[in-house]
């Protein structure tokens, strides 16, 4: 497979294995530059051996996801916060 | 300790029909038992596993409106694309692939959305936008909708049968084709990239609070999104999906 850049929309499947809500529609704030956008708008490289999602503002790494046969590894240290839209309670 | 059970599981999908859309794009009509339905713009992950256990996967937009257990994907052949090469050259009616989905909640259009909609496609970025047009048609949603579709030549038009039939895909959908390399003789527009002036003319007035969906190669998507922002559109209502 050609190594090409996709966007955060392509992470929906892997993230849906871990979370009950669709995280690609969440807003994410970059811990490096403060840029805030939908996870769907992140620049994503991968998916092998893992997916790396970078900030469209400064290209800092916000999320890294590696799926092994038995586990999903999710590294979010570049993310200041995720704001997840939920139905009013 | 037992691992958490995956919330999203792989299902077997069987190819029941195929259609060649262009010399390099093919639509795969799949039957997926227990398919839960989907929203236009959502996608699926497709996984291929070789006899030796080597496995690879790729995300594809769904091309069809929700219709029982039937799901259509349109695959564009990609140079060195091992998944697309297999799906176009070797995958035959009756064969199975593994698929999971639908996934994605950002680049989606809902049938009860009555806002004017602008769909801007670059190349095979038309796939999820065609799903939106088909979902509008299925829901008999007659809100304002315009598709601006940029491709290289007339033979690169995916879904030409649907988009170019007399009257268009739907009476309420206006279709504008942008040929960047070669235009058909009948076209009043010479070949060339979409200009700022054209997009300004085709975009809905910002006062109507339109919803804008842009899908295509990264450079195309960024250029169109930037121009829509410059025209005064709310960036929260410019939804993008990019590849390549």
């Amino acid at each position: 497979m050609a190594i090409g850049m996709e966007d955060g929309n392509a992470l929906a499947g892997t993230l849906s294995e871990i979370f009950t809500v669709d995280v690609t529609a969440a807003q994410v704030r970059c811990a490096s530059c403060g840029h805030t956008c939908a996870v769907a708008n992140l620049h994503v490289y991968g998916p092998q051996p893992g997916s790396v999602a970078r900030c469209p503002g400064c290209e800092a790494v916000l999320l890294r996801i590696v799926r092994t046969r038995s586990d999903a590894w999710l590294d979010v240290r570049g993310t200041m916060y995720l704001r997840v839209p939920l139905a009013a309670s | 300790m037992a691992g958490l059970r995956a919330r999203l599981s792989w299902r077997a999908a069987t190819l029941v029909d195929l259609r060649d859309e262009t010399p390099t794009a093919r639509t795969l009509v799949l039957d997926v038992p227990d398919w839960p339905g989907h929203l236009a713009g959502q996608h699926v992950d497709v996984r291929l596993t070789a006899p030796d256990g080597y496995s690879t996967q790729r995300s594809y937009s769904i091309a069809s409106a929700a219709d029982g257990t039937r799901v259509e994907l349109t695959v564009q052949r990609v140079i060195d694309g091992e998944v697309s090469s297999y799906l176009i050259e070797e995958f035959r009616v009756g064969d199975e692939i593994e698929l999971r989905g639908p996934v994605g909640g950002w680049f989606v259009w809902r049938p009860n959305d009555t806002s004017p909609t602008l769909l801007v496609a670059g190349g095979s970025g038309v796939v999820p936008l065609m799903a939106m047009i088909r979902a509008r048609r299925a829901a008999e949603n007659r809100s304002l909708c315009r598709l601006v579709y940029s491709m290289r030549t007339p033979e690169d038009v995916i879904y030409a049968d649907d988009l170019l039939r007399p009257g268009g895909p739907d009476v309420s959908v206006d279709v504008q084709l942008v040929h960047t390399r070669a235009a058909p003789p009948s076209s009043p527009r010479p070949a060339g990239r979409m200009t700022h002036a054209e997009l300004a003319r085709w975009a809905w007035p910002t006062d109507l609070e339109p919803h804008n969906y842009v899908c295509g190669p990264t450079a195309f998507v960024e250029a169109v999104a930037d121009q829509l922002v410059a025209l005064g559109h709310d960036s929260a209502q410019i939804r993008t999906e990019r590849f390549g």
Side-chain angles (χ1 to χ4, degrees):
Chain A
M1 184 188 304
I3 304 294
M5 199 264 281
E6 295 187 306
D7 65 20
N9 291 295
L11 296 178
T14 304
L15 289 169
S16 294
E17 283 193 286
I18 308 171
F19 297 102
T20 55
V21 294
D22 175 59
V23 177
T24 63
Q27 294 288 308
V28 58
R29 186 171 177 90
C30 174
S32 295
C33 75
H35 181 83
T36 306
C37 66
V39 171
N41 290 337
L42 298 180
H43 293 177
V44 173
Y45 301 83
Q48 302 297 340
S51 294
V52 176
R54 292 177 175 271
C55 173
C58 72
E59 289 290 320
V61 176
L62 300 197
L63 306 170
R64 294 190 298 164
I65 305 170
V66 175
R67 182 71 163 88
T68 69
R69 208 173 283 264
S70 58
D71 298 276
W73 295 71
L74 176 62
D75 172 353
V76 293
R77 81 184 97 167
T79 297
M80 185 176 296
Y81 65 71
L82 281 171
R83 177 181 168 189
V84 183
L86 297 175
S89 58
Chain B
M1 190 178 75
L4 285 171
R5 194 160 121 194
R7 297 180 194 283
L8 184 67
S9 55
W10 294 97
R11 313 163 186 266
T14 305
L15 186 68
V16 294
D17 196 8
L18 48 82
R19 290 193 298 273
D20 284 324
E21 304 283 359
T22 73
T24 59
R26 171 173 284 181
T27 292
L28 309 175
V29 182
L30 299 163
D31 181 64
V32 191
D34 302 322
W35 182 250
H38 61 269
L39 291 170
Q42 286 193 293
H43 46 98
V44 296
D45 291 341
V46 168
R47 180 167 73 179
L48 303 178
T49 305
D52 66 3
Y54 169 73
S55 173
T56 184
Q57 71 185 59
R58 188 96 173 90
S59 181
Y60 287 103
S61 289
I62 300 170
S64 53
D67 178 18
T69 60
R70 195 178 160 104
V71 177
E72 297 185 11
L73 308 180
T74 301
V75 178
Q76 177 79 43
R77 185 197 304 270
V78 181
I79 304 297
D80 297 332
E82 57 187 2
V83 178
S84 69
S85 299
Y86 174 82
L87 293 177
I88 289 182
E89 288 162 20
E90 297 178 47
F91 193 42
R92 297 282 174 263
V93 169
D95 289 349
E96 285 188 352
I97 49 172
E98 284 185 295
L99 169 156
R100 70 177 178 189
V103 293
W106 174 253
F107 196 80
V108 297
W109 179 86
R110 292 180 164 77
N112 61 359
D113 183 353
T114 55
S115 300
T117 306
L118 177 69
L119 310 173
V120 186
S124 57
V126 73
V127 176
L129 306 182
M130 193 69 211
M132 295 178 189
I133 289 172
R134 289 168 168 165
R136 287 170 49 86
R137 192 160 63 200
E140 298 183 3
N141 182 319
R142 296 288 171 84
S143 56
L144 290 169
C145 181
R146 175 173 291 132
L147 170 69
V148 177
Y149 178 12
S150 172
M151 84 301 296
R152 289 176 180 169
T153 72
E155 71 169 14
D156 296 317
V157 178
I158 301 174
Y159 314 124
D161 289 353
D162 203 343
L163 291 174
L164 305 183
R165 62 185 170 183
D170 187 319
V171 289
S172 64
V173 178
D174 178 51
V175 177
Q176 299 291 338
L177 298 184
V178 176
H179 300 92
T180 60
R181 300 257 177 97
S186 59
S187 172
R189 182 189 183 282
R193 291 188 176 190
M194 179 165 60
T195 64
H196 291 239
E198 285 176 314
L199 185 62
R201 191 163 73 242
W202 289 327
W204 300 112
T206 55
D207 287 350
L208 297 179
E209 300 180 350
H211 291 174
N212 303 290
Y213 296 85
V214 187
C215 186
T218 294
F220 176 87
V221 167
E222 291 188 351
V224 171
D226 287 349
Q227 288 172 42
L228 288 171
V229 169
L231 288 169
H233 289 271
D234 179 0
S235 59
Q237 294 305 341
I238 303 170
R239 304 221 163 183
T240 59
E241 182 159 291
R242 61 182 91 196
F243 52 81

